[in-house]
Amino acid sequence: MDIKQNFSLKKFNTFGVDVAAEYFAQVNSLEELLEAVTFSKNLHLALLVLGGGSNVLFTKDLTGLVIQLDLKGISEEKISDSEVLVTACAGENWHGFVEYCLRKDYGGLENLSLIPGNVGTSPMQNIGAYGTEIKDTFVNCKVLNLKTLEVETFGAEKCSFGYRESFFKKEGKGKYIILEVTFRLRTRDHVIKVEYGAIASELESLGTERPTIQDVSRAVINIRQSKLPDPAVLGNAGSFFKNPSVPKKQFLEVQKEYPNIPNFPQGEFVKVPAGWLIEQCGWKGKQVGNVASHKLQALVLVNATGGASGQEIFDFSARIIESVKDKFGIELEREVNII
Ligand code: FAD
Ligand code: EPU
Protein backbone atom coordinates (compact mmCIF):
# COMPACT_ATOMS: atom_id res chain seq x y z
CA MET A 1 0.00 0.00 0.00
CA ASP A 2 1.25 3.41 -1.00
CA ILE A 3 1.00 6.10 1.70
CA LYS A 4 1.42 9.55 0.20
CA GLN A 5 2.48 12.65 2.11
CA ASN A 6 1.22 16.22 1.81
CA PHE A 7 -1.42 15.03 -0.67
CA SER A 8 -3.98 17.39 -2.29
CA LEU A 9 -7.61 16.40 -1.61
CA LYS A 10 -9.02 18.70 -4.32
CA LYS A 11 -10.14 15.76 -6.47
CA PHE A 12 -11.47 13.87 -3.44
CA ASN A 13 -14.21 16.29 -2.37
CA THR A 14 -17.11 17.44 -4.56
CA PHE A 15 -16.77 21.05 -3.35
CA GLY A 16 -13.38 20.99 -5.10
CA VAL A 17 -11.72 22.62 -2.10
CA ASP A 18 -7.92 22.43 -2.23
CA VAL A 19 -6.54 21.27 1.11
CA ALA A 20 -3.68 18.88 1.80
CA ALA A 21 -3.70 15.68 3.85
CA GLU A 22 -0.56 15.06 5.89
CA TYR A 23 -0.81 11.37 4.91
CA PHE A 24 -3.15 9.79 2.33
CA ALA A 25 -3.81 6.17 1.37
CA GLN A 26 -6.30 4.56 -1.00
CA VAL A 27 -7.19 1.06 0.21
CA ASN A 28 -8.59 -1.80 -1.88
CA SER A 29 -8.93 -4.61 0.67
CA LEU A 30 -9.54 -5.26 4.35
CA GLU A 31 -5.87 -6.24 4.71
CA GLU A 32 -4.76 -2.87 3.29
CA LEU A 33 -7.24 -1.09 5.53
CA LEU A 34 -5.85 -2.84 8.62
CA GLU A 35 -2.34 -1.95 7.49
CA ALA A 36 -3.31 1.72 7.12
CA VAL A 37 -5.13 1.82 10.47
CA THR A 38 -2.13 0.20 12.19
CA PHE A 39 0.16 2.79 10.58
CA SER A 40 -2.00 5.58 12.02
CA LYS A 41 -2.10 3.94 15.46
CA ASN A 42 1.67 3.46 15.57
CA LEU A 43 2.30 7.11 14.74
CA HIS A 44 -0.64 8.34 16.92
CA LEU A 45 -2.20 10.00 13.87
CA ALA A 46 -5.75 11.26 13.57
CA LEU A 47 -7.75 9.16 11.09
CA LEU A 48 -10.36 10.24 8.57
CA VAL A 49 -12.16 7.87 6.19
CA LEU A 50 -13.42 9.20 2.90
CA GLY A 51 -15.86 7.71 0.42
CA GLY A 52 -16.81 9.88 -2.55
CA GLY A 53 -16.19 13.15 -0.67
CA SER A 54 -19.69 14.42 -1.54
CA ASN A 55 -20.78 15.35 1.98
CA VAL A 56 -17.68 16.96 3.48
CA LEU A 57 -16.38 20.50 3.74
CA PHE A 58 -12.66 20.70 4.44
CA THR A 59 -11.93 23.98 6.21
CA LYS A 60 -8.19 23.48 6.69
CA ASP A 61 -5.26 21.20 5.84
CA LEU A 62 -5.68 17.85 7.57
CA THR A 63 -3.15 16.50 10.02
CA GLY A 64 -3.02 12.70 10.29
CA LEU A 65 -4.04 10.02 7.81
CA VAL A 66 -6.88 10.21 5.30
CA ILE A 67 -8.01 6.81 4.01
CA GLN A 68 -10.01 6.67 0.81
CA LEU A 69 -12.00 3.46 1.02
CA ASP A 70 -12.08 1.71 -2.36
CA LEU A 71 -13.42 -1.73 -1.39
CA LYS A 72 -15.34 -3.18 -4.36
CA GLY A 73 -17.79 -6.03 -4.90
CA ILE A 74 -21.52 -6.87 -4.91
CA SER A 75 -23.06 -10.19 -3.86
CA GLU A 76 -26.61 -11.50 -3.48
CA GLU A 77 -28.61 -14.13 -1.71
CA LYS A 78 -32.18 -14.99 -2.69
CA ILE A 79 -34.21 -15.41 0.51
CA SER A 80 -37.69 -16.09 -0.87
CA ASP A 81 -39.49 -16.08 -4.20
CA SER A 82 -40.00 -12.32 -3.85
CA GLU A 83 -36.98 -11.04 -1.90
CA VAL A 84 -33.23 -10.91 -2.25
CA LEU A 85 -30.46 -9.70 0.04
CA VAL A 86 -27.94 -7.62 -1.86
CA THR A 87 -24.62 -6.70 -0.25
CA ALA A 88 -22.28 -4.05 -1.62
CA CYS A 89 -18.78 -3.18 -0.44
CA ALA A 90 -18.18 0.32 0.91
CA GLY A 91 -16.31 1.65 -2.13
CA GLU A 92 -19.06 0.85 -4.64
CA ASN A 93 -20.47 4.04 -6.14
CA TRP A 94 -24.01 4.51 -4.81
CA HIS A 95 -25.71 5.27 -8.12
CA GLY A 96 -23.77 2.47 -9.85
CA PHE A 97 -25.17 0.14 -7.20
CA VAL A 98 -28.72 1.43 -7.72
CA GLU A 99 -28.30 0.87 -11.49
CA TYR A 100 -27.08 -2.69 -10.83
CA CYS A 101 -30.25 -3.37 -8.82
CA LEU A 102 -32.47 -1.83 -11.50
CA ARG A 103 -30.83 -3.96 -14.23
CA LYS A 104 -31.70 -7.03 -12.16
CA ASP A 105 -35.19 -5.64 -11.50
CA TYR A 106 -34.63 -5.50 -7.74
CA GLY A 107 -36.94 -2.88 -6.25
CA GLY A 108 -36.52 -0.61 -3.22
CA LEU A 109 -33.72 1.81 -4.05
CA GLU A 110 -35.09 3.45 -7.24
CA ASN A 111 -36.19 6.66 -5.45
CA LEU A 112 -32.57 7.06 -4.30
CA SER A 113 -31.20 7.22 -7.86
CA LEU A 114 -28.35 9.62 -8.65
CA ILE A 115 -27.35 10.41 -5.06
CA PRO A 116 -23.58 10.95 -5.20
CA GLY A 117 -21.13 9.14 -2.93
CA ASN A 118 -20.45 5.54 -2.00
CA VAL A 119 -22.44 2.66 -0.54
CA GLY A 120 -20.29 2.55 2.61
CA THR A 121 -21.33 6.09 3.51
CA SER A 122 -25.05 5.57 2.92
CA PRO A 123 -25.79 4.61 6.57
CA MET A 124 -23.90 7.63 7.92
CA GLN A 125 -26.79 10.03 7.36
CA ASN A 126 -29.37 7.42 6.31
CA ILE A 127 -29.41 8.93 2.82
CA GLY A 128 -32.83 9.85 1.60
CA ALA A 129 -34.74 11.37 -1.29
CA TYR A 130 -38.20 11.41 -2.81
CA GLY A 131 -40.01 9.66 0.02
CA THR A 132 -37.43 6.91 0.64
CA GLU A 133 -34.51 6.48 3.03
CA ILE A 134 -32.04 3.61 3.17
CA LYS A 135 -33.48 2.56 6.53
CA ASP A 136 -36.52 1.28 4.56
CA THR A 137 -34.49 -1.54 2.96
CA PHE A 138 -31.41 -1.69 5.21
CA VAL A 139 -30.69 -5.09 6.81
CA ASN A 140 -27.25 -4.65 8.34
CA CYS A 141 -23.74 -3.38 7.81
CA LYS A 142 -20.33 -4.82 8.59
CA VAL A 143 -18.02 -2.41 10.37
CA LEU A 144 -14.42 -2.36 11.53
CA ASN A 145 -14.21 -1.43 15.20
CA LEU A 146 -11.24 0.96 15.35
CA LYS A 147 -10.51 0.19 18.99
CA THR A 148 -10.45 -3.62 18.80
CA LEU A 149 -9.79 -3.99 15.04
CA GLU A 150 -12.55 -6.64 15.02
CA VAL A 151 -15.23 -6.78 12.33
CA GLU A 152 -18.76 -6.46 13.78
CA THR A 153 -22.25 -6.57 12.27
CA PHE A 154 -24.74 -3.81 13.11
CA GLY A 155 -28.48 -4.20 12.49
CA ALA A 156 -30.91 -1.31 11.95
CA GLU A 157 -31.59 -0.87 15.65
CA LYS A 158 -27.93 -0.35 16.52
CA CYS A 159 -27.60 2.13 13.64
CA SER A 160 -30.37 4.25 15.18
CA PHE A 161 -31.39 5.90 11.91
CA GLY A 162 -33.19 9.24 11.82
CA TYR A 163 -33.66 12.05 9.32
CA ARG A 164 -30.10 12.58 7.99
CA GLU A 165 -28.85 10.95 11.22
CA SER A 166 -27.46 7.71 12.58
CA PHE A 167 -25.38 6.21 15.38
CA PHE A 168 -22.33 6.82 13.12
CA LYS A 169 -22.78 10.61 13.29
CA LYS A 170 -23.36 10.57 17.06
CA GLU A 171 -22.03 8.08 19.66
CA GLY A 172 -20.27 6.02 16.98
CA LYS A 173 -18.55 9.02 15.36
CA GLY A 174 -14.95 8.23 14.39
CA LYS A 175 -15.11 4.81 16.09
CA TYR A 176 -16.11 2.53 13.21
CA ILE A 177 -15.41 2.14 9.51
CA ILE A 178 -18.34 0.78 7.51
CA LEU A 179 -17.07 -2.02 5.26
CA GLU A 180 -20.21 -3.24 3.48
CA VAL A 181 -23.97 -2.78 3.57
CA THR A 182 -26.78 -5.31 2.98
CA PHE A 183 -30.24 -4.38 1.68
CA ARG A 184 -33.43 -6.42 1.41
CA LEU A 185 -34.94 -5.79 -2.03
CA ARG A 186 -37.99 -7.07 -3.87
CA THR A 187 -37.69 -9.23 -6.98
CA ARG A 188 -41.36 -8.84 -7.97
CA ASP A 189 -44.65 -7.10 -7.02
CA HIS A 190 -42.74 -3.84 -6.76
CA VAL A 191 -44.01 -1.11 -4.50
CA ILE A 192 -44.03 2.06 -6.58
CA LYS A 193 -43.60 5.16 -4.39
CA VAL A 194 -44.90 8.29 -6.04
CA GLU A 195 -46.35 10.15 -3.02
CA TYR A 196 -43.65 12.78 -3.48
CA GLY A 197 -45.67 15.04 -5.79
CA ALA A 198 -42.93 15.85 -8.27
CA ILE A 199 -42.47 12.17 -9.19
CA ALA A 200 -46.11 11.66 -10.09
CA SER A 201 -46.12 14.72 -12.36
CA GLU A 202 -42.77 13.80 -13.94
CA LEU A 203 -44.07 10.27 -14.68
CA GLU A 204 -47.15 11.82 -16.24
CA SER A 205 -45.06 14.02 -18.48
CA LEU A 206 -43.02 10.94 -19.46
CA GLY A 207 -46.34 9.38 -20.52
CA THR A 208 -46.05 6.36 -18.21
CA GLU A 209 -49.37 5.14 -16.88
CA ARG A 210 -48.21 1.98 -15.08
CA PRO A 211 -44.72 2.96 -13.98
CA THR A 212 -42.00 0.38 -13.36
CA ILE A 213 -39.16 0.88 -10.87
CA GLN A 214 -36.99 1.82 -13.85
CA ASP A 215 -39.52 4.55 -14.80
CA VAL A 216 -39.45 5.89 -11.23
CA SER A 217 -35.66 6.01 -11.39
CA ARG A 218 -35.80 7.93 -14.70
CA ALA A 219 -38.31 10.41 -13.21
CA VAL A 220 -36.12 10.96 -10.12
CA ILE A 221 -33.04 11.48 -12.31
CA ASN A 222 -34.89 14.02 -14.47
CA ILE A 223 -36.10 15.98 -11.43
CA ARG A 224 -32.66 15.96 -9.80
CA GLN A 225 -30.91 17.04 -13.00
CA SER A 226 -33.37 19.91 -13.45
CA LYS A 227 -32.37 21.63 -10.20
CA LEU A 228 -29.28 20.14 -8.57
CA PRO A 229 -25.89 21.28 -9.89
CA ASP A 230 -23.57 18.53 -11.16
CA PRO A 231 -20.51 18.60 -8.86
CA ALA A 232 -18.29 17.80 -11.85
CA VAL A 233 -19.30 21.19 -13.28
CA LEU A 234 -20.01 23.28 -10.16
CA GLY A 235 -18.53 22.24 -6.81
CA ASN A 236 -21.16 21.48 -4.14
CA ALA A 237 -22.17 18.91 -1.53
CA GLY A 238 -25.94 18.81 -2.11
CA SER A 239 -28.15 20.32 0.59
CA PHE A 240 -25.84 22.24 2.90
CA PHE A 241 -28.40 22.38 5.74
CA LYS A 242 -31.06 20.01 7.06
CA ASN A 243 -34.71 20.93 6.76
CA PRO A 244 -35.54 22.15 10.29
CA SER A 245 -38.24 20.58 12.44
CA VAL A 246 -39.92 23.35 14.42
CA PRO A 247 -42.17 22.86 17.48
CA LYS A 248 -45.81 23.37 16.41
CA LYS A 249 -46.32 26.39 18.69
CA GLN A 250 -43.29 28.19 17.29
CA PHE A 251 -44.36 27.30 13.74
CA LEU A 252 -47.82 28.82 14.22
CA GLU A 253 -46.22 32.08 15.36
CA VAL A 254 -44.04 32.20 12.23
CA GLN A 255 -47.01 31.24 10.03
CA LYS A 256 -49.02 34.19 11.39
CA GLU A 257 -46.43 36.51 9.90
CA TYR A 258 -45.66 34.43 6.78
CA PRO A 259 -48.91 32.68 5.77
CA ASN A 260 -47.33 31.16 2.63
CA ILE A 261 -44.66 29.22 4.50
CA PRO A 262 -44.54 25.64 3.09
CA ASN A 263 -44.85 23.07 5.87
CA PHE A 264 -45.01 19.34 6.57
CA PRO A 265 -46.61 18.55 9.94
CA GLN A 266 -44.99 15.65 11.85
CA GLY A 267 -46.76 15.10 15.16
CA GLU A 268 -45.79 17.84 17.59
CA PHE A 269 -43.30 19.28 15.07
CA VAL A 270 -43.55 20.87 11.65
CA LYS A 271 -40.86 20.42 9.02
CA VAL A 272 -40.11 23.54 7.02
CA PRO A 273 -38.05 23.56 3.81
CA ALA A 274 -34.74 25.28 4.54
CA GLY A 275 -34.52 26.22 0.84
CA TRP A 276 -37.62 28.38 1.23
CA LEU A 277 -36.33 30.08 4.40
CA ILE A 278 -33.00 30.85 2.70
CA GLU A 279 -34.71 32.14 -0.44
CA GLN A 280 -36.96 34.43 1.64
CA CYS A 281 -33.83 35.94 3.20
CA GLY A 282 -32.67 36.93 -0.28
CA TRP A 283 -29.79 34.47 -0.60
CA LYS A 284 -30.98 32.42 -3.57
CA GLY A 285 -28.54 32.87 -6.47
CA LYS A 286 -26.50 35.39 -4.45
CA GLN A 287 -22.70 35.24 -4.69
CA VAL A 288 -20.21 36.60 -2.17
CA GLY A 289 -16.59 36.23 -3.25
CA ASN A 290 -16.18 32.68 -4.55
CA VAL A 291 -19.29 31.20 -2.92
CA ALA A 292 -22.97 31.28 -3.86
CA SER A 293 -26.34 29.84 -3.01
CA HIS A 294 -27.44 27.97 -6.15
CA LYS A 295 -29.82 29.87 -8.42
CA LEU A 296 -32.19 26.89 -8.82
CA GLN A 297 -31.96 25.46 -5.26
CA ALA A 298 -31.13 27.89 -2.47
CA LEU A 299 -30.24 25.05 -0.06
CA VAL A 300 -27.25 24.06 -2.18
CA LEU A 301 -24.12 26.17 -1.64
CA VAL A 302 -21.70 26.16 -4.55
CA ASN A 303 -18.03 26.85 -5.14
CA ALA A 304 -19.03 29.41 -7.76
CA THR A 305 -15.59 30.23 -9.16
CA GLY A 306 -13.88 26.94 -8.32
CA GLY A 307 -11.48 28.91 -6.15
CA ALA A 308 -13.38 28.95 -2.85
CA SER A 309 -11.64 27.87 0.33
CA GLY A 310 -13.50 25.70 2.83
CA GLN A 311 -13.39 28.52 5.37
CA GLU A 312 -15.02 30.89 2.86
CA ILE A 313 -17.86 28.40 2.27
CA PHE A 314 -18.22 27.89 6.02
CA ASP A 315 -18.37 31.66 6.66
CA PHE A 316 -21.00 32.06 3.92
CA SER A 317 -23.07 29.32 5.58
CA ALA A 318 -22.74 31.11 8.95
CA ARG A 319 -24.17 34.29 7.41
CA ILE A 320 -27.16 32.30 6.08
CA ILE A 321 -27.77 30.75 9.50
CA GLU A 322 -27.69 34.23 11.03
CA SER A 323 -30.16 35.72 8.50
CA VAL A 324 -32.64 32.86 8.89
CA LYS A 325 -32.41 33.11 12.67
CA ASP A 326 -32.96 36.90 12.55
CA LYS A 327 -35.93 36.75 10.18
CA PHE A 328 -37.75 33.60 11.34
CA GLY A 329 -36.23 32.72 14.72
CA ILE A 330 -35.40 29.29 13.27
CA GLU A 331 -31.90 27.83 13.69
CA LEU A 332 -30.57 25.95 10.65
CA GLU A 333 -28.27 22.99 11.24
CA ARG A 334 -25.57 22.04 8.74
CA GLU A 335 -26.01 18.68 7.03
CA VAL A 336 -22.54 18.61 5.48
CA ASN A 337 -19.75 17.20 7.68
CA ILE A 338 -17.42 20.07 8.56
CA ILE A 339 -13.84 18.86 8.85
P1 FAD B 1 -18.01 11.37 2.16
O1 FAD B 1 -18.26 12.79 1.83
O2 FAD B 1 -16.79 10.73 1.60
O3 FAD B 1 -18.07 11.16 3.72
C1 FAD B 1 -19.10 11.73 4.49
C2 FAD B 1 -18.82 11.43 5.98
O4 FAD B 1 -18.87 10.04 6.22
C3 FAD B 1 -17.42 11.88 6.43
O5 FAD B 1 -17.54 12.34 7.76
C4 FAD B 1 -16.61 10.60 6.37
O6 FAD B 1 -15.54 10.60 7.31
C5 FAD B 1 -17.64 9.54 6.74
N1 FAD B 1 -17.42 8.24 6.06
C6 FAD B 1 -17.29 8.05 4.73
N2 FAD B 1 -17.21 6.74 4.45
C7 FAD B 1 -17.27 6.09 5.64
C8 FAD B 1 -17.22 4.71 6.02
N3 FAD B 1 -17.11 3.73 5.12
N4 FAD B 1 -17.29 4.41 7.33
C9 FAD B 1 -17.41 5.38 8.27
N5 FAD B 1 -17.46 6.69 7.97
C10 FAD B 1 -17.40 7.05 6.67
N6 FAD B 1 -27.67 13.04 0.42
C11 FAD B 1 -28.91 12.55 0.65
O7 FAD B 1 -29.15 11.92 1.70
N7 FAD B 1 -29.92 12.72 -0.24
C12 FAD B 1 -29.75 13.38 -1.40
O8 FAD B 1 -30.68 13.51 -2.18
C13 FAD B 1 -28.47 13.91 -1.69
N8 FAD B 1 -28.25 14.59 -2.83
C14 FAD B 1 -27.01 15.09 -3.09
C15 FAD B 1 -26.82 15.79 -4.30
C16 FAD B 1 -25.56 16.29 -4.61
C17 FAD B 1 -25.39 17.03 -5.91
C18 FAD B 1 -24.48 16.09 -3.72
C19 FAD B 1 -23.12 16.58 -4.08
C20 FAD B 1 -24.66 15.42 -2.52
C21 FAD B 1 -25.95 14.93 -2.18
N9 FAD B 1 -26.19 14.25 -0.98
C22 FAD B 1 -27.43 13.71 -0.73
C23 FAD B 1 -25.13 14.09 0.03
C24 FAD B 1 -24.19 12.89 -0.23
O9 FAD B 1 -24.35 12.41 -1.52
C25 FAD B 1 -24.46 11.74 0.75
O10 FAD B 1 -24.31 12.19 2.07
C26 FAD B 1 -23.51 10.57 0.53
O11 FAD B 1 -23.93 9.46 1.30
C27 FAD B 1 -22.07 10.91 0.88
O12 FAD B 1 -21.28 9.82 0.47
P2 FAD B 1 -19.72 9.96 0.27
O13 FAD B 1 -19.19 8.59 0.03
O14 FAD B 1 -19.41 10.95 -0.78
O15 FAD B 1 -19.30 10.49 1.69
N1 EPU C 1 -37.76 25.63 -1.86
C1 EPU C 1 -37.80 26.99 -2.08
N2 EPU C 1 -36.70 27.58 -2.66
C2 EPU C 1 -35.60 26.87 -3.02
C3 EPU C 1 -35.57 25.48 -2.78
C4 EPU C 1 -36.68 24.88 -2.19
O1 EPU C 1 -38.78 27.66 -1.80
O2 EPU C 1 -34.67 27.47 -3.54
C5 EPU C 1 -38.93 24.99 -1.22
C6 EPU C 1 -40.10 24.71 -2.13
O3 EPU C 1 -41.27 24.90 -1.38
C7 EPU C 1 -39.98 23.22 -2.40
C8 EPU C 1 -39.42 22.72 -1.09
O4 EPU C 1 -38.55 23.75 -0.66
O5 EPU C 1 -41.20 22.65 -2.71
C9 EPU C 1 -38.66 21.41 -1.17
O6 EPU C 1 -37.62 21.51 -2.12
P1 EPU C 1 -36.99 20.20 -2.80
O7 EPU C 1 -38.08 19.30 -3.28
O8 EPU C 1 -35.97 20.65 -3.78
O9 EPU C 1 -36.33 19.43 -1.60
P2 EPU C 1 -35.45 19.92 -0.37
O10 EPU C 1 -36.30 19.81 0.85
O11 EPU C 1 -34.81 21.22 -0.65
C10 EPU C 1 -34.67 17.52 0.25
C11 EPU C 1 -33.37 16.87 0.60
C12 EPU C 1 -32.60 16.51 -0.65
C13 EPU C 1 -33.44 15.54 -1.48
C14 EPU C 1 -34.77 16.22 -1.82
C15 EPU C 1 -35.72 15.26 -2.51
C16 EPU C 1 -32.72 17.69 2.77
C17 EPU C 1 -31.82 18.57 3.55
N3 EPU C 1 -32.59 17.75 1.44
O12 EPU C 1 -34.34 18.76 -0.36
O13 EPU C 1 -31.40 15.87 -0.27
O14 EPU C 1 -32.77 15.17 -2.65
O15 EPU C 1 -35.42 16.67 -0.61
O16 EPU C 1 -36.20 14.33 -1.60
O17 EPU C 1 -33.52 16.95 3.35
C18 EPU C 1 -29.13 16.27 0.31
O18 EPU C 1 -29.40 15.79 1.41
O19 EPU C 1 -27.98 16.64 0.01
C19 EPU C 1 -30.19 16.41 -0.68
C20 EPU C 1 -30.00 16.96 -1.88
Side-chain angles (χ1 to χ4, degrees):
M1 186 195 34
D2 184 20
I3 297 186
K4 298 187 169 70
Q5 268 182 278
N6 195 24
F7 184 82
S8 168
L9 295 177
K10 190 172 166 68
K11 290 193 180 128
F12 291 86
N13 71 101
T14 58
F15 260 124
V17 164
D18 196 6
V19 296
E22 188 182 5
Y23 296 97
F24 177 86
Q26 219 161 2
V27 308
N28 302 302
S29 65
L30 181 58
E31 292 68 36
E32 282 191 358
L33 177 60
L34 287 169
E35 210 183 304
V37 171
T38 306
F39 170 84
S40 76
K41 280 190 182 243
N42 289 343
L43 294 187
H44 305 288
L45 299 173
L47 187 67
L48 180 82
V49 185
L50 263 191
S54 66
N55 208 22
V56 285
L57 177 65
F58 297 131
T59 54
K60 53 184 177 312
D61 287 340
L62 304 187
T63 50
L65 173 66
V66 174
I67 296 178
Q68 204 272 323
L69 208 50
D70 209 18
L71 312 177
K72 290 279 162 52
I74 301 179
S75 60
E76 12 182 307
E77 181 194 346
K78 203 163 190 303
I79 51 166
S80 75
D81 66 348
S82 60
E83 286 183 315
V84 62
L85 297 183
V86 189
T87 300
C89 292
E92 288 288 340
N93 171 266
W94 175 262
H95 183 62
F97 174 58
V98 172
E99 284 182 317
Y100 169 96
C101 296
L102 289 168
R103 276 196 302 276
K104 296 230 162 179
D105 203 34
Y106 297 159
L109 300 178
E110 55 281 359
N111 293 52
L112 302 176
S113 295
L114 212 64
I115 296 182
N118 291 353
V119 172
T121 325
S122 62
M124 277 293 289
Q125 66 163 16
N126 174 30
I127 56 169
Y130 301 98
T132 300
E133 293 179 324
I134 65 147
K135 73 168 172 48
D136 304 334
T137 47
F138 177 92
V139 176
N140 60 39
C141 58
K142 282 215 169 96
V143 302
L144 178 70
N145 181 326
L146 285 170
K147 199 166 167 195
T148 62
L149 297 190
E150 297 286 330
V151 174
E152 298 174 24
T153 302
F154 287 178
E157 203 170 317
K158 174 81 179 180
C159 293
S160 186
F161 293 125
Y163 163 63
R164 298 295 190 271
E165 272 304 343
S166 77
F167 167 79
F168 299 105
K169 279 182 91 173
K170 292 180 173 158
E171 309 92 290
K173 193 171 175 177
K175 295 183 182 155
Y176 300 91
I177 297 179
I178 301 165
L179 303 173
E180 60 177 50
V181 189
T182 299
F183 299 91
R184 182 195 298 264
L185 303 177
R186 294 198 64 80
T187 55
R188 61 180 171 85
D189 305 332
H190 293 308
V191 181
I192 303 293
K193 282 199 190 171
V194 294
E195 314 86 78
Y196 209 96
I199 300 187
S201 47
E202 181 62 26
L203 284 168
E204 210 175 302
S205 71
L206 289 175
T208 19
E209 270 170 27
R210 296 190 51 181
T212 61
I213 53 173
Q214 292 77 11
D215 293 330
V216 171
S217 170
R218 173 45 46 208
V220 167
I221 289 172
N222 287 353
I223 299 166
R224 295 183 69 97
Q225 287 178 335
S226 73
K227 56 181 163 188
L228 289 172
D230 176 355
V233 180
L234 192 56
N236 75 90
S239 302
F240 198 88
F241 305 97
K242 295 180 186 180
N243 286 325
S245 256
V246 184
K248 216 174 195 168
K249 190 159 168 264
Q250 185 189 356
F251 172 77
L252 292 173
E253 287 300 313
V254 179
Q255 196 183 33
K256 253 191 232 157
E257 212 176 325
Y258 304 95
N260 298 330
I261 184 168
N263 61 91
F264 305 90
Q266 299 177 318
E268 285 309 299
F269 289 84
V270 179
K271 195 175 260 191
V272 177
W276 185 87
L277 297 171
I278 297 168
E279 182 172 352
Q280 296 304 305
C281 292
W283 287 102
K284 190 170 184 168
K286 191 165 166 177
Q287 183 170 339
V288 179
N290 297 299
V291 190
S293 155
H294 189 52
K295 60 180 189 299
L296 301 176
Q297 222 309 355
L299 189 49
V300 178
L301 304 192
V302 299
N303 183 349
T305 61
S309 69
Q311 189 60 46
E312 207 179 345
I313 297 170
F314 184 85
D315 292 346
F316 187 90
S317 74
R319 288 181 62 185
I320 290 182
I321 292 176
E322 203 179 293
S323 312
V324 170
K325 177 87 180 159
D326 281 353
K327 192 173 171 77
F328 298 102
I330 295 174
E331 186 111 25
L332 292 183
E333 188 189 335
R334 295 179 180 88
E335 176 197 293
V336 171
N337 298 279
I338 310 296
I339 291 165

